[in-house]
Amino acid sequence: MDITRSSPAPVRVVAVPPEPEPADLTALPEPIAVEPLQTLPATATTTTITTATATTATTATTSAPTTTATTSATATATDVRGRRNRPRPRDLLALLRPGQWVKNLAVVPLALLDTHPWGTAAFLRTGWAVLGFTLASALVYVVNDLADRERDRLHPVKRHRPIASGRVSTLAAFVLTGALALALAGWAVAGPAWQWWPTALYLALSLAYSQGLKHVPLVDAFIVATGFVLRLVQGALLIGAQMSEWLALCVFSLCLMLALGKRRHEMTAAGRAHRPALRGYTLAFLDHLVVLVAVLTAVSYVLYLRDDASLAAGASLVTLLSAPCAVFGLARYLQLLLVEEGGGNPVHVLFRDRATLVNAALWAVLVALALLLPQASA
């Protein structure tokens, strides 16, 4: 036996499973046992109904705050309208524009420049003239705000006025108009006879202005300037002074410059849609007009000092020094208007600018010295 030969590999025996028997397709399948449905317990039914009820209640609860909020908003709006029908006193006072009354205090007493010597009667009559024009101007402001309330709502600043914003109702404004008219009539009756015609003419021009003349270019600004000349005339009539033509021209040109400057500011701030009269202006045209009227103001002021002002011979130097103050004031306003794009409210511009206030104080001191020197020499 040859031991060097390898032994044959062992034979692996694999067991083959028997083939399954073919299924008998003719045999019917056994019936499947079906368990009977169990009846839901009463608790489950109750839970289902309770859940549905809770869902409905939740929906109703969700809708309830909405309805309540809507009702609350409606009530709030009604309450706001009710409050607007009862305007607050400060809103009525704002409608009268007390900040603009300084115009009367600045223009009417100018008639005292041609009256010497000054006495208590002259100051009382000046105060009476200021009172009359304050009532007249307040009446005009209310009428203008009533006429312009829809247009003012489109303006970025004027929409906050009492009537335009709704703080003062139209009915309350009409009642206030009637009260002012009665007070003005009482002022005319209590004063000197037939010396109230400048105030009456001012009211007539203002009503014509409100009814349509304010939409006519140039005419609108000239009417505003004429109103200030009428203030000066009213003061001169009540005081009994001879009004200077150069002083009247100076007041007219100065106020015309302020009115044109205000229109220029409105064009740059809100465009031409707010004021129909602005369609007849351009910025270049207004710039030329403002400069032209400023020159006329300076010339008429100097001519008034030379020809009509009640100055002593020794006051010529004081008069000479006051002229540069007047020119500086005009130049400063043009700078605020053309360079700094101001001028929307001339009162705020002239009485809140520090340079203007210092210049005005210096001018007032010089003019007071020039006026008091004649009395001291006498």
Side-chain angles (χ1 to χ4, degrees):
M1 182 175 182
D2 189 0
I3 61 177
T4 60
R5 298 180 61 183
S6 60
S7 61
V11 180
R12 183 179 296 178
V13 179
V14 179
V16 179
E19 297 182 358
E21 296 181 358
D24 188 3
L25 302 177
T26 61
L28 294 176
E30 296 181 359
I32 301 175
V34 180
E35 297 180 0
L37 294 175
Q38 297 181 357
T39 306
L40 292 175
T43 305
T45 306
T46 306
T47 303
T48 304
I49 296 174
T50 304
T51 304
T53 306
T55 304
T56 306
T58 303
T59 305
T61 305
T62 306
S63 302
T66 306
T67 306
T68 305
T70 305
T71 305
S72 177
T74 305
T76 303
T78 305
D79 182 62
V80 169
R81 286 194 297 267
R83 290 181 180 179
R84 288 178 180 176
N85 292 331
R86 298 186 299 272
R88 294 174 295 183
R90 67 177 183 180
D91 292 330
L92 293 175
L93 181 62
L95 185 59
L96 302 180
R97 301 187 199 177
Q100 302 295 329
W101 296 351
V102 68
K103 298 176 182 178
N104 302 320
L105 292 173
V107 177
V108 175
L110 289 179
L112 290 171
L113 296 177
D114 297 325
T115 303
H116 292 287
W118 294 341
T120 304
F123 284 107
L124 291 177
R125 292 176 181 178
T126 301
W128 186 255
V130 170
L131 174 62
F133 253 95
T134 299
L135 293 173
S137 59
L139 177 60
V140 171
Y141 291 144
V142 177
V143 173
N144 284 338
D145 285 355
L146 279 171
D148 294 341
R149 60 184 182 276
E150 298 297 336
R151 193 176 291 107
D152 287 345
R153 292 188 178 103
L154 304 177
H155 194 273
V157 177
K158 295 181 180 180
R159 62 188 178 92
H160 298 294
R161 289 179 175 177
I163 298 178
S165 62
R167 300 196 309 272
V168 175
S169 65
T170 305
L171 178 60
F174 276 114
V175 173
L176 182 59
T177 301
L180 289 173
L182 289 176
L184 187 58
W187 171 86
V189 172
W194 298 106
Q195 291 191 359
W196 44 261
W197 67 263
T199 304
L201 182 58
Y202 168 79
L203 286 177
L205 285 176
S206 300
L207 291 177
Y209 177 87
S210 300
Q211 294 301 318
L213 290 182
K214 63 183 176 183
H215 302 316
V216 182
L218 291 180
V219 175
D220 60 334
F222 274 74
I223 289 179
V224 173
T226 304
F228 286 93
V229 177
L230 291 175
R231 287 173 168 87
L232 179 62
V233 174
Q234 183 66 79
L237 278 179
L238 291 179
I239 295 174
Q242 182 68 30
M243 189 182 64
S244 169
E245 293 82 0
W246 289 122
L247 180 60
L249 180 60
C250 181
V251 171
F252 175 81
S253 56
L254 175 62
C255 297
L256 181 59
M257 181 188 67
L258 298 178
L260 293 173
K262 182 177 180 181
R263 277 143 186 79
R264 186 190 186 280
H265 180 268
E266 289 180 348
M267 286 191 64
T268 58
R272 299 182 179 182
H274 169 68
R275 188 188 291 268
L278 296 179
R279 299 172 184 173
Y281 298 106
T282 62
L283 290 179
F285 178 55
L286 286 173
D287 291 345
H288 285 86
L289 283 179
V290 168
V291 174
L292 173 64
V293 176
V295 172
L296 179 60
T297 303
V299 172
S300 59
Y301 172 74
V302 173
L303 291 176
Y304 165 72
L305 292 179
R306 190 191 70 176
D307 297 339
D308 297 336
S310 301
L311 303 175
S316 58
L317 178 60
V318 178
T319 304
L320 180 63
L321 293 177
S322 69
C325 293
V327 175
F328 178 84
L330 295 173
R332 177 57 180 167
Y333 175 75
L334 293 178
Q335 183 184 34
L336 294 174
L337 178 67
L338 303 178
V339 179
E340 301 183 12
E341 299 294 338
N345 191 332
V347 175
H348 292 174
V349 170
L350 297 176
F351 291 92
R352 294 184 180 181
D353 180 64
R354 293 182 179 179
T356 303
L357 290 176
V358 173
N359 179 71
L362 180 59
W363 173 85
V365 170
L366 293 173
V367 171
L369 290 175
L371 292 175
L372 294 176
L373 280 177
Q375 299 184 13
S377 61

